[in-house]
Amino acid sequence: MARVVMQAVVSVDGFIARPDDSVGPLFDWYFNGDTALVAEPSGWTFRVSAASHAHLRPFWDAIDVTVIGRHLFDTTDGWDGKPAAGDQLVVVTHRPLPEDWLAAHPDAPFHTAGSVAEGIARAKELAGEDGFVCVTAGDVGGQAFSAGLVDEVEMDVAPVVLGEGVRFFGDHTGTVELDDPDRVVRGDRVLHLHFTVRR
């Protein structure tokens, strides 16, 4: 069965963006190192510390399918039809993707789903039996987490306190226990943490 990980860069107080969706200093560590890190298939190039590179390269390479919400799709204009990581992308949305966007990106490996549960199920189907699905934290990730559809949590914690904004776990409430972190990697201005959801 494909694994599902919920992931994002997050502030110490649990926010992945400001109320206006800007990230402020959360992403500074993507550009403060001396090791090139290229995201595939998007081609985005970052410069991170060697420790962050050693952690992120295998994580990004393992992703088969990414799941995002319509808000992130609209905010990024669908990343020009190229998933930030993974071979395919599922957009959870109640509206069709814009016709002009589809016309401009006819070969984009994007799929849509009408609910979070449907989106995760579709992503797992696309990823295959031993696949790896990454759902972005925030509203969609929080819904998946609340529904018990998330197996792992991956946080890139930046030493920043935003005070308000978009919460990593969205609107999730209630207690969910995680196992002890099995990966703790100290980068430059970031701490990479990985947890497995306790079942």
Side-chain angles (χ1 to χ4, degrees), residues 19-43:
D20 66 357
D21 293 322
S22 65
V23 296
L26 285 178
F27 286 5
D28 285 358
W29 63 274
Y30 274 129
F31 307 100
N32 69 357
D34 54 9
T35 306
L37 177 66
V38 180
E40 298 296 342
S42 66

Side-chain angles (χ1 to χ4, degrees), residues 53-148:
H53 183 278
H55 172 75
L56 290 175
R57 178 78 279 154
F59 175 74
W60 287 359
D61 287 347
I63 297 171
D64 294 300
V65 183
T66 300
V67 180
I68 68 172
R70 179 58 182 265
H71 182 71
L72 183 57
F73 174 89
D74 289 341
T75 301
T76 63
D77 194 30
W79 293 313
D80 290 327
K82 299 175 184 175
D87 298 323
Q88 301 188 71
L89 188 142
V90 176
V91 182
V92 177
T93 180
H94 300 297
R95 298 171 283 129
L97 299 184
E99 289 185 16
D100 58 341
W101 187 92
L102 291 170
H105 308 287
D107 298 323
F110 284 40
H111 311 269
T112 58
S115 70
V116 170
E118 181 186 330
I120 297 295
R122 179 72 173 124
K124 290 172 83 169
E125 176 187 341
L126 291 166
E129 183 76 18
D130 298 319
F132 192 50
V133 173
C134 181
V135 57
T136 54
D139 182 49
V140 167
Q143 289 182 56
F145 187 80
S146 292

Side-chain angles (χ1 to χ4, degrees), residues 123-175:
K124 290 172 83 169
E125 176 187 341
L126 291 166
E129 183 76 18
D130 298 319
F132 192 50
V133 173
C134 181
V135 57
T136 54
D139 182 49
V140 167
Q143 289 182 56
F145 187 80
S146 292
L149 302 174
V150 171
D151 304 304
E152 305 169 25
V153 174
E154 178 89 22
M155 299 175 132
D156 302 309
V157 184
V160 177
V161 175
L162 292 183
E164 61 178 343
V166 181
R167 295 176 61 224
F168 184 95
F169 288 99
D171 292 331
H172 174 78
T173 57
T175 302

